[in-house]
Amino acid sequence: MTRYPRDLSGYGANPPKANWPNGAKIAVQFVINYEEGGENCILHGDAASEAFLSEIVGAAPWPSQRHWNMESIYEYGARAGFWRLHRLFTKHRIPATVYGVATALARSPEQVAAMQEADWEIASHGLKWIEYKDYAREDEKADMLEAIRLHEEVTGFKPRGWYTGRSSDQTVDLATEIGGLDYVSDTYADDLPYWYQSGSRDQLIIPYTLDCNDMRFATPQGFNSGDQFFTYLKDTFDCLYAEGQAGTPKMMNIGLHCRLIGRPGRIMALERFMEYARSRVDVWFARRIDIARHWQNAHPPVRRDRPSQMDAARFVREFGGIFEHSPWIAERAHGLELGTSHDSAVGVHSALCRAFRSASFEEKLGVLKAHPNLAGKLAAAGELTAASTVEQASAGLDLLTDNERILFTSLNETYMEKHGFPFIIAVREHDKASILAAFRRRIGNSIEMEFAEACRQVERIAHYRLNDLLEPHQAGANS
């Protein structure tokens, strides 16, 4: 048995209504990454110089050496870029969240004071702006705890949000384990916040973005001019705004860096976008902490039994009767690679059908023979399974006239004599007239054709039974 940890389903085709404040059609959220003074540098005790997100595209780390040009580019962000951004945001009275690297904040008291004066949220961007993919769990956790301690020491407050950025596969679990955070943003998986379960804890995730992000000025196949950046932001806004008007409001993340967008040749594109977004009605400009608090209140976490996490006995107990009198199908399905994508009626149906389809001919025939005749002796004696009783009643087969009962009995006997198994049809898709029409039409099929059709109908029946069992519990499950 294997269990797949990634969630490839999310909210699916029907995301929850965000219900943004005042009926907003979109939540627009700007992040200012403050990393200057926290990047890789041997002055900071690192093994080499920084090589990421600068004007030096394709830069390589210099082991045991300072990279003067790289350092001065980062210094530009703190000395000039930050203040240009500060003037722009305060001019337009647009709130922002800062992803603040703790050591960078400690080296920039004037900038921190300006952030707080503007009432920007300062979330944690980790202890240092370094790569954590190769860190041992205990070492990464130690850096997280020190980042939180230093953040509070510098700002006077514990961070309410977290984003490592150059994260490991354990970052989100560690942040959840440490606790005390209103949200974590080390994912790019959705246009809406969602709840993440790690052990006994529920952690709110507010996904971030790498596409509506000025980092693409410093990467191959990125933005070469402010016009490209503006156009991309505008197109993103227009798409999400239209979805909001259609009834499914989303969130637009915009990621900024002082040393990148803070350059004169780029910041005007950002201002043009601000002016464009502000010209639309029903737009909520929010900090990430505002979004987190809204989501916590409007969409609290909902815990439910997850089929992919059930042990074999529980799984068979729940789903062993979906295929008539054939619990072995559920037993085999439980041994497949299951994950969060299987924690729904569609997902369990997929797993059960895979087990059924991979069975031998004799096993499939046994499943067909386990089905009762329509309006047959078992129905008359009240000995159908509960599911079959409901299904036959849904098509009125429990209220047959004497003539109809005689007709069904005759058709059942003729069909069984020719094909060797009962006539099977997903009766919820039919009424008595269409069932009788299908009965007469299918009796003439070859045994091979009818065997294949009967197997398809068994899967359709399973679909409806699983919907009855699981769909009432699906609403809001991922909110």
Side-chain angles (χ1 to χ4, degrees), residues 22 27 50 191 194-195 217 222 283 314 332 346 376 388 406 472:
N22 300 314
E50 186 57 70
D191 296 314
Y194 61 91
W195 291 97
F217 282 114
V283 177
R314 172 77 186 286
R332 293 184 188 177
V346 171
S388 290
I406 292 170

Side-chain angles (χ1 to χ4, degrees), residues 83 97 105 154 199 212 229 245 288 356 370 413 452 457:
W83 298 108
T97 289
L105 296 175
V154 171
C212 291
F229 186 50
Q245 290 179 311
R288 294 178 92 70
F356 175 61
E413 290 174 352
Q457 293 298 321

Side-chain angles (χ1 to χ4, degrees), residues 371-380 384 392 397 400 404-425 427 435-436 438-440 442-443:
H371 276 260
N373 286 322
L374 293 183
K377 294 179 180 179
L378 290 178
L384 296 178
Q392 295 206 19
L397 300 186
L400 298 179
E404 287 173 335
R405 189 172 291 107
I406 292 170
L407 176 58
F408 266 97
T409 299
S410 174
L411 289 170
N412 279 327
E413 290 174 352
T414 303
Y415 184 96
M416 186 72 176
E417 182 178 349
K418 178 176 180 180
H419 296 293
F421 49 84
F423 176 77
I424 301 171
I425 191 169
V427 295
I435 290 172
L436 286 169
F439 224 144
R440 294 187 176 102
R442 286 171 51 186
I443 281 178

Side-chain angles (χ1 to χ4, degrees), residues 15-88:
K17 305 295 184 184
N19 297 323
W20 298 133
N22 300 314
K25 303 298 187 295
I26 185 173
V28 177
Q29 205 290 298
F30 292 91
V31 168
I32 299 172
N33 292 268
Y34 196 84
E35 299 153 353
E36 289 78 8
E39 78 278 14
N40 281 283
C41 179
I42 64 170
L43 295 177
H44 305 159
D46 301 308
S49 62
E50 186 57 70
F52 190 45
L53 293 189
S54 79
E55 302 300 323
I56 310 172
V57 179
W62 291 3
S64 304
Q65 283 186 278
R66 293 178 65 184
H67 193 317
W68 190 265
N69 291 346
M70 182 66 71
E71 288 179 22
S72 65
I73 288 171
Y74 270 74
E75 288 163 14
Y76 182 92
R79 292 162 57 115
F82 170 82
W83 298 108
R84 189 167 283 122
L85 282 170
H86 185 267
R87 290 191 294 272
L88 179 64

